[in-house]
Amino acid sequence: MRKPSAGQRQPKQKRPRSRTLTAVHEAVLEDLMTVAVIVPPEPFVFGPVLQVYPTEIVGKHTRYRLDGSKIIKVYLDPKEAANVEYKVDTFSTVYKKLTGKEVKFEFPVTQA
């Protein structure tokens, strides 16, 4: 019987959750939702100011299509829709380039 090669050996430790591909892709999505904006300087302030506008992710669903492909639906905070709505296409394009996964951002309708 042959000695097991490097790819066939059992790992000595379990891989930490923070190092898994799923966790990394979720972290990329969270980082993508934090948008940095440079604000022009006010009087008596030296240089432009960097402000961060985070958008909260309200929910996520994975939709499986009939052909076997997957699409991730991400629901964003509807209160921030006015500030973020024009950036949604950019977010999905950047996420697709970074991870190779298709994502669709939506704002859930709140019923009163």
Side-chain angles (χ1 to χ4, degrees):
M1 200 157 113
R2 294 176 52 183
K3 183 177 177 183
S5 64
Q8 296 173 339
R9 290 191 191 122
Q10 290 292 327
K12 293 181 182 177
Q13 292 180 347
K14 187 176 178 187
R15 178 176 288 140
R17 168 83 172 120
S18 62
R19 301 289 191 267
T20 62
L21 188 63
T22 304
V24 171
H25 286 180
E26 287 176 4
V28 166
L29 187 62
E30 288 290 331
D31 289 344
L32 193 61
M33 291 296 99
T34 304
V35 180
V37 177
I38 297 177
V39 179
E42 297 176 13
F44 307 111
V45 176
F46 300 103
V49 179
L50 185 69
Q51 291 185 348
V52 177
Y53 294 105
T55 303
E56 188 175 349
I57 295 175
V58 179
K60 280 188 263 191
H61 293 285
T62 303
R63 181 172 177 229
Y64 296 91
R65 295 182 179 157
L66 289 175
D67 62 354
S69 63
K70 290 191 246 183
I71 185 167
I72 302 169
K73 285 191 174 187
V74 177
Y75 299 103
L76 303 175
D77 190 10
K79 293 180 239 171
E80 298 291 328
N83 298 335
V84 182
E85 198 163 14
Y86 65 95
K87 302 175 191 174
V88 168
D89 293 333
T90 306
F91 289 155
S92 60
T93 304
V94 169
Y95 188 77
K96 172 82 172 169
K97 286 282 187 184
L98 290 174
T99 63
K101 293 182 178 179
E102 196 173 337
V103 68
K104 184 176 180 182
F105 295 100
E106 295 180 355
F107 297 97
V109 179
T110 55
Q111 297 177 359

